[in-house]
């Protein structure tokens, strides 16, 4: 088990902020509660927020099911910094570590400070130097977010990846990078200015941004569906590649 009961400050006034790496087994996150640490499989939002004040944070699973679960609730991770949070769910595509990421609850919100960065990867291959997904294997590395849940990082960066399917809720950010070994579905209320999506299956994305949404997408054979409910906004399409899809 991992016991972490400390405040780590990796800020460098004349350099780049460092990263605190913690690797429990499964990770269960809760929006409320505190125990003053990031402990084994249980992580509370208030403790994570406090840790983000002093450092960028990487959490990765290593045993058990390898899954990461955000239980229903409102996650206030607004640390007042632009430090990054990276969460990696491990799987080798063969054993008991399925490496799923689940964001539960129709009213769940995950909020970070403006300009911050959030990376969530389901089906991580275990390489910390250059994190990457395992090859698509049915039943491993799926990313499932309640379609009414939301992630909010004004002018920040969202990197969401899955070895399997990537199913998203509502997102607010400056930039979204979405990658999946299978399909990508993001049909909720999205306010993202720059969107880049890559999959080996169907891509479905809706935008509600009042300004211009810049979108590039590659599905490698799946259909690409882009829809807009932008009011006075517009959609600027970059490169679109569907292979044998449409």
């Amino acid at each position: 088990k991992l016991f972490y009961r400390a405040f780590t400050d990796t800020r460098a006034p004349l350099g780049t902020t460092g990263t605190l790496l913690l690797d429990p087994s499964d990770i269960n996150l809760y929006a409320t509660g505190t125990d003053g640490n990031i402990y084994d499989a249980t992580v509370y939002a208030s403790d994570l927020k406090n840790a983000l004040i002093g450092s960028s944070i990487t959490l990765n699973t290593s045993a058990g099911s390898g899954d990461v679960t955000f239980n229903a609730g409102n996650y206030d991770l607004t640390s007042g910094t632009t430090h990054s949070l990276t969460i990696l769910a491990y799987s080798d595509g063969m054993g008991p570590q399925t490496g799923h990421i689940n964001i539960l609850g129709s009213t769940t919100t995950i909020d970070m400070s403006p300009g911050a960065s959030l990376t969530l990867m389901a089906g991580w291959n275990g390489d910390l130097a250059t994190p990457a997904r395992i090859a698509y294997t049915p039943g491993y590395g799926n990313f499932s977010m309640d379609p009414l849940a939301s992630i909010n990082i004004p002018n920040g960066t969202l990197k969401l990846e899955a070895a399997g399917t990537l199913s998203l809720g509502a997102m607010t950010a400056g930039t979204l990078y979405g990658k999946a070994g299978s399909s990508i579905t993001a049909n909720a209320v999205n306010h993202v200015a720059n969107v880049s999506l890559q999959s080996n299956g169907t891509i479905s994305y809706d935008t509600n941004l009042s300004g211009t949404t810049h979108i590039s997408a590659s599905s490698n054979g799946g259909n690409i569906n882009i829809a807009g409910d932008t009011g006075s906004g517009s959609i600027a399409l970059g490169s679109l590649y569907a292979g044998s899809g449409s």
Side-chain angles (χ1 to χ4, degrees):
K1 292 184 177 181
L2 171 68
F3 294 86
Y4 174 78
R5 188 174 279 112
F7 174 77
T8 301
D9 192 340
T10 65
R11 289 172 290 187
L14 300 179
T16 303
T17 299
T19 300
L20 173 64
L21 171 64
L22 300 168
D23 59 346
S25 52
D26 300 338
I27 298 176
N28 285 283
L29 296 105
Y30 295 91
T32 59
T34 180
D35 58 10
N37 65 71
I38 299 174
Y39 161 68
D40 195 32
T42 301
V43 177
Y44 296 104
S46 60
D47 299 323
L48 190 53
K49 175 180 177 178
N50 184 60
L52 281 167
I53 294 172
S55 179
S56 293
I57 302 293
T58 295
L59 295 171
N60 65 269
T61 60
S62 58
S65 68
D67 293 349
V68 173
T69 301
F70 287 81
N71 291 282
N74 298 319
Y75 290 79
D76 177 9
L77 303 179
T78 54
S79 65
T81 73
T82 58
H83 293 161
S84 65
L85 173 61
T86 299
I87 301 180
L88 310 170
Y90 173 73
S91 177
D92 62 5
M94 297 182 293
Q97 288 81 36
T98 49
H100 299 317
I101 293 179
N102 301 296
I103 301 177
L104 308 177
S106 60
T107 60
T108 292
T109 60
I110 301 172
D111 299 318
M112 294 186 70
S113 297
S117 175
L118 175 63
T119 298
L120 302 175
M121 183 182 293
W124 168 59
N125 67 0
D127 184 351
L128 281 170
T130 309
R133 296 166 286 122
I134 61 172
Y136 172 65
T137 305
Y140 291 89
N142 293 324
F143 187 119
S144 177
M145 180 178 176
D146 189 287
L148 296 179
S150 65
I151 300 175
N152 307 295
I153 314 176
N155 300 315
T157 301
L158 264 174
K159 298 179 180 179
L160 307 177
E161 298 193 34
T165 57
L166 183 63
S167 301
L168 303 174
M171 295 167 290
T172 297
T175 301
L176 166 67
Y177 299 99
K179 296 182 179 181
S182 183
S183 62
I184 296 176
T185 304
N187 293 332
V189 178
N190 297 307
H191 297 90
V192 183
N194 300 288
V195 180
S196 176
L197 304 173
Q198 180 181 334
S199 79
N200 289 315
T202 298
I203 293 175
S204 182
Y205 184 85
D206 287 9
T207 179
N208 298 78
L209 189 69
S210 59
T212 301
T213 302
H214 300 266
I215 299 179
S216 296
S218 173
S219 67
N220 196 29
N223 294 339
I224 298 176
N225 306 300
I226 306 296
D229 182 13
T230 59
S232 60
S234 61
I235 297 175
L237 296 177
S239 61
L240 296 179
Y241 175 74
S244 59
S246 61

